[in-house]
Amino acid sequence: SNLTGNSLLKCFLLITVLGIFYGTMMEFVQKYWIPNRSFELGDIVADSAGCLLALGITLKNLQTGGKKIGPDGNRDRNQN
């Protein structure tokens, strides 16, 4: 199926929200059901930041058309 720009954006936003929700729920699972594991607010912040960063990179990539380095793009770079 071919997604339009608006529905594609909604899809990526849903994936982001679900990722944040999943990371948050896993912290509560660790707190209440996994012995010797703890709840860390910092983990929720890190998971959320990762989801939002991925969304930002994805949206930027979609906006720029996913431009890639061409066949000569690395010609003058050190490849060691």
Side-chain angles (χ1 to χ4, degrees):
S1 70
N2 190 10
L3 294 173
T4 63
N6 194 27
S7 61
L8 192 59
L9 175 63
K10 287 179 183 178
C11 182
F12 284 122
L13 286 173
L14 177 62
I15 291 168
T16 301
V17 169
L18 290 175
I20 292 170
F21 177 77
Y22 177 80
T24 302
M25 288 300 99
M26 286 300 101
E27 286 303 308
F28 284 100
V29 167
Q30 288 180 157
K31 181 178 182 177
Y32 294 112
W33 291 293
I34 309 294
N36 302 318
R37 297 292 302 217
S38 62
F39 179 92
E40 295 286 337
L41 186 59
D43 285 347
I44 293 174
V45 171
D47 290 341
S48 299
C51 288
L52 293 171
L53 179 64
L55 176 64
I57 291 170
T58 300
L59 295 178
K60 179 70 174 169
N61 204 13
L62 287 173
Q63 182 183 23
T64 60
K67 294 179 184 172
K68 297 180 181 177
I69 296 175
D72 298 339
N74 287 327
R75 178 171 287 165
D76 296 327
R77 297 176 118 185
N78 183 356
Q79 298 295 315
N80 293 337

